[in-house]
Amino acid sequence: MTLTRLSRQKPPSLFITVRFLTRHLSTSKLRDHYSFQPPPSLSLDPQKSKSNPNSHKKQKPKYRPPSSLDQIKPIYSDLPFDFRFSYTESSPTVRPIGLREPKYSPFGPGRLDREWTGVCAPAVDPKVKSLEGTEDPNLEAKRKLLRGRIQGAPLTEAERKFLVEKCQRNRNKRQINLGRDGLTHNMLNDIHNHWKFAEAVRIKCLGVPTVDMKNVCKQLEDKTFGKIIQRHGGTLILYRGRNYNRKKRPVIPLMLWKPQEPVYPRLIKTTIDGLSIEETKEMRKRGLAVPALTKLAKNGYYGSLVPMVRDAFVVSELVRIDCMGFERSDYKKIGCKLRDLVPCILVTFEKEQIVVWRGQDYKPPEDGHFFTDREFFDDPGCDMERSDE
């Protein structure tokens, strides 16, 4: 009976057996003798897992995007000229009669140590309270001294031909385009970037500035301290100089936006000086009926426009130039340049036409020197005389 009763009982389960063995082995001497400590990498202790073995090493700070509230150190530039948006399309001698916006600096708030007057950032001491006055007479001498130091000895004829051939379109695709805004301030930085890789850079001029190519060449040499070694139409080759060091290039702060153009006096008056109202109206009607001297192509080359108008004044007192398709600001700038270069009197800008009058006592200018269509500047002596002039 006893054996039968014992045989009918269920055997102990596996879980109970393992629990019994672990309870007794945990207190046994064998476990104490053969036990081991796990390595830190396998430890389950949260405090040990969080500990960094390289805690003495300086941690890299987290990335924080830039903010306009950060204090920005103003840039100092020792360039000896006033910073303008365009150096060829704005004249320092013509003063505006008003501003279209407050005097917000286009270089950004606090990014330049020069004050913005609404027209330019003059090269004066930033601590000066008043910016009204004439330009410092020492700036012109400083520009000539700095340019002469960078240029060094004049190029020989062989060196000029080598640089000109190296900048031709079939050998070099690098080019800077000078458009309706003329020589802008940010273009100076582009020219110095090109001078990193080559001694000379090709500049293509089109549009309104080409009416006065002499001024374009003068401003390029004056603001970049370079030298023009060839001109063919509107294409210029600008040489950086023998002593140019690209690691010591001048500091040129960039304009972040285009400033609003100030308000200037009206180009077309109600009555022309010396004429009555009826005579002015009659002249405007006759001017619009005169056959057009030429039709200007949009974004073309206008280097021969001033000689054409001067020749036309020999046989006619009124000249009309067709500017169909132009922006109003573009043909106004062309008319302003003609008024100063020919010289002549502006009659009207109606119907996208430029009508100019030679005046009552017109005399052709005797010193009407203009660049030829192609100039190589191969003679160093002639080049030095031209720079002195």
Side-chain angles (χ1 to χ4, degrees):
M1 298 259 322
T2 304
L3 294 173
T4 307
R5 190 177 297 173
L6 290 173
S7 62
R8 289 179 180 177
Q9 292 180 355
K10 293 181 179 180
S13 63
L14 181 62
F15 175 74
I16 298 175
T17 306
V18 172
R19 184 176 180 183
F20 174 80
L21 292 174
T22 54
R23 182 179 296 176
H24 286 276
L25 287 175
S26 61
T27 58
S28 65
K29 294 182 179 181
L30 292 176
R31 179 174 176 83
D32 295 340
H33 183 73
Y34 290 104
S35 64
F36 67 98
Q37 294 292 334
S41 60
L42 302 177
S43 175
L44 299 178
D45 190 357
Q47 295 182 354
K48 291 183 180 180
S49 62
K50 289 182 180 180
S51 62
N52 188 1
N54 297 330
S55 59
H56 63 279
K57 187 176 179 181
K58 188 176 180 180
Q59 297 295 326
K60 185 177 179 181
K62 293 183 178 180
Y63 171 75
R64 187 174 68 89
S67 174
S68 59
L69 300 178
D70 297 339
Q71 293 184 355
I72 300 173
K73 187 176 180 182
I75 300 175
Y76 170 73
S77 179
D78 57 351
L79 289 173
F81 54 84
D82 300 346
F83 291 163
R84 294 175 172 269
F85 173 74
S86 177
Y87 297 104
T88 57
E89 302 308 298
S90 60
S91 176
T93 59
V94 180
R95 298 184 65 86
I97 59 177
L99 300 177
R100 301 181 188 272
E101 64 179 5
K103 298 178 182 179
Y104 296 132
S105 175
F107 297 95
R111 294 178 179 269
L112 186 65
D113 64 341
R114 300 186 182 188
E115 298 290 340
W116 181 257
T117 64
V119 179
C120 66
V124 296
D125 187 359
K127 296 181 181 179
V128 175
K129 295 182 180 180
S130 177
L131 296 175
E132 298 296 332
T134 58
E135 187 183 30
D136 187 358
N138 297 327
L139 291 179
E140 183 67 25
K142 187 177 179 180
R143 283 197 293 265
K144 289 184 179 180
L145 180 63
L146 185 59
R147 184 171 178 269
R149 188 185 307 163
I150 294 175
Q151 288 299 315
L155 292 174
T156 62
E157 184 179 351
E159 289 173 334
R160 290 169 187 268
K161 289 183 178 180
F162 173 76
L163 290 174
V164 169
E165 183 63 27
K166 195 174 179 180
C167 291
Q168 296 304 313
R169 187 180 295 274
N170 58 349
R171 298 190 60 182
N172 190 356
K173 301 299 181 183
R174 291 180 176 272
Q175 177 177 292
I176 294 178
N177 297 319
L178 190 146
R180 65 169 60 179
D181 291 328
L183 176 61
T184 59
H185 178 79
N186 289 353
M187 196 177 294
L188 301 179
N189 191 56
D190 296 338
I191 291 173
H192 284 280
N193 289 339
H194 280 264
W195 279 346
K196 285 182 182 179
F197 309 102
E199 294 179 278
V201 59
R202 185 174 69 248
I203 302 176
K204 183 71 172 180
C205 306
L206 291 175
V208 180
T210 59
V211 176
D212 190 5
M213 283 300 298
K214 189 174 183 179
N215 183 42
V216 173
C217 297
K218 178 183 176 182
Q219 294 297 331
L220 276 171
E221 292 185 343
D222 187 50
K223 300 302 184 293
T224 62
F225 309 120
K227 187 182 227 27
I228 296 175
I229 57 177
Q230 190 207 20
R231 189 188 78 90
H232 183 198
T235 304
L236 309 173
I237 306 296
L238 186 63
Y239 173 59
R240 67 184 184 183
R242 289 186 184 273
N243 303 326
Y244 179 83
N245 188 354
R246 60 182 182 180
K247 295 182 179 179
K248 296 181 180 180
R249 55 180 289 178
V251 178
I252 304 174
L254 296 178
M255 283 192 178
L256 304 183
W257 64 83
K258 180 180 178 179
Q260 284 285 343
E261 191 174 358
V263 181
Y264 290 99
R266 293 185 60 182
L267 294 175
I268 304 294
K269 299 182 180 180
T270 305
T271 58
I272 300 174
D273 295 339
L275 300 179
S276 63
I277 297 178
E278 298 299 329
E279 292 175 342
T280 302
K281 291 182 179 180
E282 183 64 25
M283 182 172 292
R284 285 172 181 162
K285 290 182 180 179
R286 288 194 296 116
L288 293 173
V290 168
L293 175 66
T294 181
K295 178 175 172 50
L296 299 182
K298 193 174 181 180
N299 297 327
Y301 174 71
Y302 316 134
S304 59
L305 183 60
V306 172
M308 288 175 63
V309 175
R310 286 184 175 179
D311 294 342
F313 277 159
V314 176
V315 296
S316 176
E317 63 175 356
L318 288 171
V319 171
R320 179 170 68 91
I321 302 169
D322 190 357
C323 300
M324 292 292 292
F326 277 54
E327 296 287 340
R328 185 171 180 82
S329 60
D330 288 352
Y331 59 76
K332 276 190 172 182
K333 289 179 181 178
I334 294 176
C336 184
K337 290 177 183 292
L338 291 176
R339 181 194 63 181
D340 299 333
L341 297 174
V342 173
C344 57
I345 299 173
L346 296 175
V347 176
T348 183
F349 288 134
E350 294 180 3
K351 300 180 180 180
E352 299 183 358
Q353 309 291 315
I354 301 176
V355 179
V356 292
W357 179 45
R358 67 182 181 184
Q360 295 177 348
D361 301 325
Y362 175 75
K363 293 182 180 180
E366 298 178 356
D367 56 345
H369 172 70
F370 290 91
F371 283 167
T372 57
D373 187 58
R374 189 182 186 97
E375 287 187 327
F376 285 97
F377 307 101
D378 287 334
D379 188 2
C382 294
D383 188 29
M384 294 300 293
E385 292 176 1
R386 186 181 64 86
S387 62
D388 294 339
E389 292 176 1

